Amino acid sequence: MSYLQANDVAKRFNGTSALAGVDLAVEQGESLALLGPSGCGKTTLLRILAGLEVPDRGDITLEGETLTGPARFVAPEQRRIGMVFQDWALFPHMTVARNVAFGLGKAGSNGRVSETLDLVGLSHLADRYPDELSGGQAQRVAVARALAPRPRVLLFDEPFSNLDTGLRTRIRADVAALMREVRMTSIFVTHDQEESFVVGDRVAVMREGRIEQVGRPADVYQNPASSWVATFVGEANVLGGVATNGHVSTAVGEVPLAGPLRGPCEVVIRPEYLVVGRGDQGVVSAVEFYGHDTTYQVALNGTKLVARVIAAPDFAPGDRVSVSYAGPGAAAFAAAGS
Ligand code: ADP
């Protein structure tokens, strides 16, 4: 049995299904990212874990104890599950130490506050006020406030979505590193694939009230469970072809397959595995240069492909090019109806 489990959890709102039987298992000390498009049920699942919502069916267990089930319901404040929301601003008129003490409520002690500040490496800032902190330090204090009551699990609901891009990239890496340092069991809800890969030891990909796949970021990226997952976690060209003997013949030639499959299929080709050269197969329709790499859109036999190369652009819109595959075995799925 895993540290935290959701078993067959289902929830409807006004007759519409929000969760359609979700199983999730989180290990102690692990950071799990719950990734999916808006409306797929992430927040509902998080709220059910915290005890803020009651499911129609299923149960939640933590350390083997049932928190939510047909015959038992533990109140949110007795679960020792902390929740961090988007707006986790500090109180400007309180010092760092008092902000952290606030997380402890009336039962707080100075000992626990200084222990917690120690844990997150902020003891030297205990007497500062929030406006004397950098953005990163302020976020650490906010995390310290959530950690102070020693939750068994910390739940983050889109915690970084109010931050602008530069700060967001830095802070999410810092918070994720901190969760790993203190071996806090944590779940981060996000709709942002890149974010889920940075913060999650594993990623659970949700779609329409179900979990489609759970795995380490690299596994989900390389071996997506469906072409929907493939296109949701990063860019993908999904090409039709016919699979035989570990290969599929496609518009970009022979592509090796990651698994056994025969017959008509859809194969997932990541843009970074396409090689663009001088040739006569297709026409470049757009070029985007990002500094660290370049993407080409290429029209090839009526198919629009995206290729990503680590180089400054060699080709311009209108140029005729060849496109071939140079990558590991690709994921493929039997074509619908075959
Ligand atoms: P996500 O966090 O992935 O964006 P939510 O869990 O917030 O998704 O919502 C899942 C579905 O349940 C959505 O269709 C949403 O409109 C619906 N929903 C969520 N909470 C409520 C509520 N309190 N009342 C009615 N419908 C709700």
Side-chain angles (χ1 to χ4, degrees), residues 40-61:
C40 73
K42 304 180 295 295
T43 300
T44 302
L45 180 56
L46 212 65
R47 288 173 56 81
I48 289 172
L49 291 170
L52 299 172
E53 200 81 68
V54 180
D56 304 331
R57 186 179 84 219
D59 59 73
I60 305 295
T61 64

Side-chain angles (χ1 to χ4, degrees), residues 31-33 35 160 168-180 188 190 192-203 216-218:
S31 285
L32 182 102
L35 170 71
F160 311 113
R168 176 184 175 129
T169 313
R170 215 156 31 78
I171 284 179
R172 74 185 178 201
D174 190 49
V175 172
L178 183 57
M179 291 300 107
R180 287 178 185 130
F188 291 85
T190 179
D192 179 332
Q193 168 260 327
E194 192 181 278
E195 185 157 298
S196 74
F197 281 17
V198 175
V199 300
D201 299 323
R202 289 188 306 148
V203 177
R216 290 182 305 126

Side-chain angles (χ1 to χ4, degrees), residues 13-14 16-19 36-45 53 157 189:
F13 291 107
N14 313 320
T16 308
S17 172
L19 294 176
S38 176
C40 73
K42 304 180 295 295
T43 300
T44 302
L45 180 56
E53 200 81 68
D157 194 0
V189 158

Side-chain angles (χ1 to χ4, degrees), residues 24 32-36 202-206 211-215 220:
L24 185 67
L32 182 102
L34 204 51
L35 170 71
R202 289 188 306 148
V203 177
V205 188
M206 278 189 81
I211 293 183
E212 289 241 331
Q213 185 170 10
V214 186
V220 173

Side-chain angles (χ1 to χ4, degrees), residues 222-241:
Q222 297 288 2
N223 297 303
S226 63
S227 43
W228 183 84
V229 171
T231 49
F232 192 69
V233 300
E235 261 186 295
N237 300 290
V238 181
L239 299 186

